[in-house]
């Protein structure tokens, strides 16, 4: 089969690429492994999505989050299904990471956006240090992507700090009372926090208008309001603006004089131009193989994150009973060179019903007797999840051996000190805002588990073997563009996907 443009993948980077190419009048074909949720899970979603939350039977409420709420699992299972990380036939061995990291590929229709946290921020001006492009290059593409993901945002203090996107419509989400109180207290201490280099505001989330404040976000939005790239690709296919083929595993590609030939699980495809949006691990594997770079080591950079639980000193009515969303409620940016040379991004989460089971695990055999205490504490808990720049984070070394990526951990001697400095600054700001930081309970995230990873085939002004030019073309290739985070020269701390999409949109617009 032939197309002018073939895009591998229907995740956020594939969707952004498709938008830009369709806008140029190109004939676009999306090839996708396209794993979907099973009928039971789909029925549950459709059933819940067809009525208002007050009409949900208790059995559906229980079913949607049963696995995640259980005391044995913190896994991400939208609508109770494991399709997000399910490996299609032929790729069963893909995910063997040897215990080195927590990054996983997704072969789902829509990729990782089926289970993501939907937090969206552009990078800060300083985040482009070491990149061959700057904020001015991405700004028009952030602006193009914002309506596509349904960015809900308030024009607050963060808008002056992250200037990459202009917030046109002030559309705040249904915040929890805990978040409202926290932000009000921070507002009252704005001067002091500013002296600490702490900027703050409501979270920016890729949630379309119409949120029912039903608190189910962590289990999958029954109303399909949390941005899902697969749904958006499906809509474009239904409208006839592109062609979509799911159930296709791309196994290899090669450029020739007039185009690119793809070998797939369902036969051969031809394109004038190829865009690879398969996510960091599948893209790295595919490209190393196509370039014959067997044994060549690449470095997948990570953004180290950690969890810092805190208790609020003020009282609120029972947070479990109020209407709210349950994704990140507030963002903090720390811009203080004495703490970190690069901007630190932190997401703050208020009450959700996974807190108590998670705490129960930590109480082990005493969980039963401690239940009343756990319930009471979980209702006062606010958890900060700070992210660090890749320059102070460990990384993943990867090389292709046969058909498999083999990994090893690359330590960063600066990580421990960086976490300690950030922890101290966050604790100081938190105390000023009426929180008690539980610093002994700080928990670092495992390598890759933030899914803010990339940089295995970085864009450079003058690329060498294993690197790309500013249009994502690996050295030696002319018609093949990598459009996912594999081409990011560094991994800055703020949320990654908005920048992945903007960069994909830039490459696809200029290619
Ligand atoms: C739990 C979780 C929470 C997250 N929260 C956030 C957040 O709040 N904010 C944020 O910015 N980011 C977040 N992320 C990260 C975000 O989901 C990813 O950055 C984003 O999905 C990457 O998009 P992508 O299109 O590059 O790749 P993916 O989403 O991985 O999509 C890859 C696509 O390629 C297809 N594919 C792969 N290999 C092949 C092949 N060989 N043949 C055919 N098709 C193939 C897959 O089927 C899929 O459609 C989170 C991720 C997770 C898992
Ligand atoms: S609260 Fe979350 S799950 Fe409920 S409608 Fe809003 S976005 Fe969807």
């Amino acid at each position: 089969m032939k197309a002018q443009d073939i895009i591998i993948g229907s995740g956020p980077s594939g969707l952004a690429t498709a938008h830009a190419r369709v806008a140029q009048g190109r004939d676009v074909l999306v090839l996708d492994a396209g794993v979907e949720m099973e009928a039971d899970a789909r029925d549950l979603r459709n059933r819940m999505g067809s009525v208002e939350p007050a009409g949900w039977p208790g059995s559906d409420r229980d079913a949607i989050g049963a696995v995640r709420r259980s005391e044995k699992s913190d896994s991400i299972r939208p609508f109770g299904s494991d399709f997000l990380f399910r490996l299609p036939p032929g790729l069963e061995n893909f995910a063997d990471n040897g215990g080195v990291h927590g990054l996983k590929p997704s072969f789902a229709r829509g990729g990782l956006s089926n289970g993501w946290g939907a937090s969206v921020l552009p990078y800060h001006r300083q985040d482009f240090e070491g990149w061959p492009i700057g904020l001015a290059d991405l700004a028009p593409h952030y602006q193009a992507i914002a309506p596509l993901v349904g960015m809900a945002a308030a024009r607050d203090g963060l808008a002056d700090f992250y200037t990459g996107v202009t917030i046109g419509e002030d559309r705040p989400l249904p915040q929890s009372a805990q978040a409202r109180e926290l932000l009000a207290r921070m507002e009252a201490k704005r001067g002091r926090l500013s002296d600490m280099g702490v900027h703050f505001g409501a979270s920016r989330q890729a949630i379309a208008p119409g949120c029912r404040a039903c608190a189910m976000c962590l289990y999958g939005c029954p109303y399909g309001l949390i941005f899902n790239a697969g749904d958006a690709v499906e809509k474009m296919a239904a409208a006839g603006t592109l062609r979509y083929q799911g159930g296709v595993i791309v196994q290899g590609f090669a450029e020739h004089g007039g185009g690119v030939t793809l070998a797939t699980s369902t036969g051969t495809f031809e394109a004038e131009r190829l865009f690879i949006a398969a996510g960091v691990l599948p893209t790295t594997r595919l490209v190393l193989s196509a370039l014959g770079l067997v044994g060549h080591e690449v470095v997948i950079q990570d953004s180290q994150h950690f969890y810092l639980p805190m208790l609020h000193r003020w009282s609120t009515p029972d947070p479990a009973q109020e209407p709210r969303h349950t994704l990140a409620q507030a963002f903090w940016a720390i811009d203080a060179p004495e703490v970190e040379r690069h901007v630190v991004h932190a997401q703050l989460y208020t009450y959700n019903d996974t807190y108590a089971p998670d705490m129960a695990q930590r109480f082990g055999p005493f969980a039963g007797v401690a239940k009343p205490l756990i319930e009471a504490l979980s209702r006062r808990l606010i958890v900060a999840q700070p992210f660090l720049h890749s320059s102070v984070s460990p990384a993943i070394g990867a090389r292709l051996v046969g058909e498999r990526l083999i990994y090893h951990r690359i330590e960063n001697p600066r990580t421990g000190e960086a976490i300690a400095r950030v922890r101290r600054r966050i604790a100081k700001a938190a105390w000023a805002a009426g929180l008690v930081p539980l610093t002994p309970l700080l928990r670092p995230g495992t390598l890759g588990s933030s899914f803010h990873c990339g940089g295995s085939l970085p864009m450079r002004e003058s690329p060498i073997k294993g690197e790309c030019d500013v249009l994502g073309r690996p050295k030696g290739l002319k018609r093949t563009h990598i459009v996912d985070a594999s081409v990011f020269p560094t991994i800055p701390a703020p949320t990654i996907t908005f920048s992945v999409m903007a960069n994909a949109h830039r490459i696809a617009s200029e290619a």
Side-chain angles (χ1 to χ4, degrees):
M1 191 184 273
K2 278 190 169 177
Q4 283 185 317
D5 294 334
I6 288 185
I7 300 170
I8 307 173
S10 65
S13 58
L15 171 71
T17 306
H19 256 265
R21 299 305 281 179
V22 164
Q24 290 170 45
R26 303 281 293 179
D27 158 41
V28 174
L29 172 63
V30 176
L31 297 181
D32 188 19
V35 174
E36 298 199 38
M37 57 178 137
E38 44 298 50
D40 281 5
R42 235 186 357 256
D43 290 349
L44 176 66
R45 183 192 59 187
N46 295 343
R47 214 166 44 240
M48 293 180 78
S50 64
V51 291
E52 291 303 310
W56 292 342
S59 52
D60 283 353
R61 279 182 182 276
D62 291 346
I64 190 174
V67 181
R68 185 150 187 184
R69 267 189 227 115
S70 84
E71 288 171 21
K72 296 188 186 65
S73 169
D74 62 354
S75 59
I76 302 141
R77 290 193 179 221
F79 307 99
S81 167
D82 68 354
F83 80 108
L84 176 60
F85 295 126
R86 198 186 306 144
L87 298 168
L91 287 174
E92 290 88 350
N93 288 331
F94 190 99
D96 179 9
N97 63 33
V100 172
H101 63 81
L103 179 63
K104 292 186 212 167
S106 175
F107 296 97
R109 185 177 59 83
L112 294 168
S113 71
N114 286 282
W116 75 319
S119 291
V120 278
L121 271 178
Y123 284 160
H124 187 265
R125 188 172 32 80
Q126 300 166 16
D127 288 328
F128 293 90
E129 182 190 283
W131 287 47
I133 58 167
L135 182 57
D137 298 298
L138 274 200
H141 304 284
Y142 282 130
Q143 212 62 48
I145 291 302
L148 197 61
V149 300
M151 185 180 186
R155 277 193 220 106
D156 55 20
L158 280 182
D160 299 331
F161 187 73
Y162 289 110
T163 55
V165 69
T166 310
I167 298 167
E169 181 200 3
D170 204 4
R171 185 164 65 82
L173 287 166
Q175 270 178 339
S176 64
Q178 291 174 317
R180 285 197 301 276
E181 181 67 26
L182 173 65
L183 288 170
R185 283 169 179 254
M186 294 186 80
E187 197 56 56
K189 298 279 166 64
R190 177 172 284 281
R192 200 161 148 211
L193 291 168
S194 176
D195 291 344
M196 293 182 209
V198 176
H199 304 255
F200 58 91
S203 64
R204 276 76 166 123
Q205 300 294 140
I207 298 182
C211 176
R212 314 294 205 282
C214 69
M216 287 292 156
C217 317
L218 297 176
Y219 310 125
C221 178
Y223 303 102
L225 301 176
I226 299 178
F227 169 74
N228 180 317
D231 292 346
V233 166
E234 192 175 74
K235 275 191 198 135
M236 291 178 79
T241 54
L242 55 72
R243 288 177 286 151
Y244 172 80
Q245 277 196 28
V248 182
I249 309 291
V250 178
Q251 293 155 337
F253 67 90
E255 285 194 2
H256 51 79
V260 190
T261 305
L262 286 85
T264 82
S265 56
T266 62
T268 303
F269 290 79
E270 285 289 335
E272 289 173 14
R273 222 164 257 279
L274 172 64
F275 296 88
I276 308 181
V280 176
L281 297 179
T283 293
T284 302
R285 184 173 180 257
L286 204 54
V287 173
L288 288 181
S289 170
L291 295 178
L293 293 177
V294 177
H296 172 86
E297 169 140 333
V298 297
V299 177
I300 300 173
Q301 302 187 52
D302 183 34
S303 164
Q304 172 74 53
H305 67 124
F306 61 91
Y307 298 97
L308 180 62
M310 308 184 280
L311 295 175
H312 57 76
R313 302 199 297 265
W314 65 87
S315 296
T316 49
D318 184 358
Q321 302 304 325
E322 62 163 345
R324 71 211 185 277
H325 75 87
T326 44
L327 298 174
Q329 292 272 348
F331 290 164
W332 293 3
I334 302 176
D335 182 20
E338 71 281 12
V339 175
E340 236 327 285
R341 209 161 71 76
H342 298 97
V343 171
V344 174
H345 163 69
Q347 298 178 181
L348 284 96
Y349 296 83
T350 59
Y351 177 81
N352 73 66
D353 62 3
T354 65
Y355 281 175
D358 190 49
M359 286 164 83
Q361 278 189 50
R362 276 153 234 287
F363 276 81
F366 303 104
V369 272
K371 195 160 187 280
L373 177 66
I374 289 172
E375 286 296 336
L377 289 178
S378 75
R379 281 163 165 75
R380 281 202 171 233
L381 198 60
I382 291 185
V383 177
Q385 184 188 20
F387 293 84
L388 310 182
H389 189 274
S390 55
S391 63
V392 290
S393 303
I396 304 164
R399 72 199 155 87
L400 198 61
V401 176
E403 296 207 322
R404 288 163 71 94
L405 279 176
I406 305 292
Y407 306 104
H408 69 102
R409 183 184 169 98
I410 304 173
E411 288 300 350
N412 188 328
R414 299 199 281 163
T415 308
E417 261 304 302
I419 290 179
R421 286 193 306 269
V422 172
R423 183 203 64 209
R424 284 195 291 271
R425 183 55 52 95
I426 289 199
K428 196 171 166 190
W431 189 261
L435 301 167
V436 182
L438 306 175
T439 45
L441 300 182
L442 181 149
R443 180 160 60 92
T446 51
L447 181 59
S449 62
S450 68
F451 288 82
H452 294 193
C453 300
S456 46
L457 304 152
M459 291 185 291
R460 305 272 188 231
E461 203 64 68
S462 307
I464 57 169
K465 183 173 88 168
E467 296 179 345
C468 298
D469 67 9
V470 288
L471 294 180
R473 284 177 298 201
K475 170 98 178 151
L477 298 182
K478 291 194 172 74
R479 294 168 172 274
T480 303
H481 305 261
I482 302 173
V483 292
D484 58 31
S486 309
V487 299
F488 278 18
T490 62
I491 304 299
T495 68
I496 191 168
T497 307
F498 198 43
S499 296
V500 167
M501 293 183 76
N503 191 50
H505 193 270
R506 178 190 66 83
I507 291 176
S509 303
E510 294 172 10

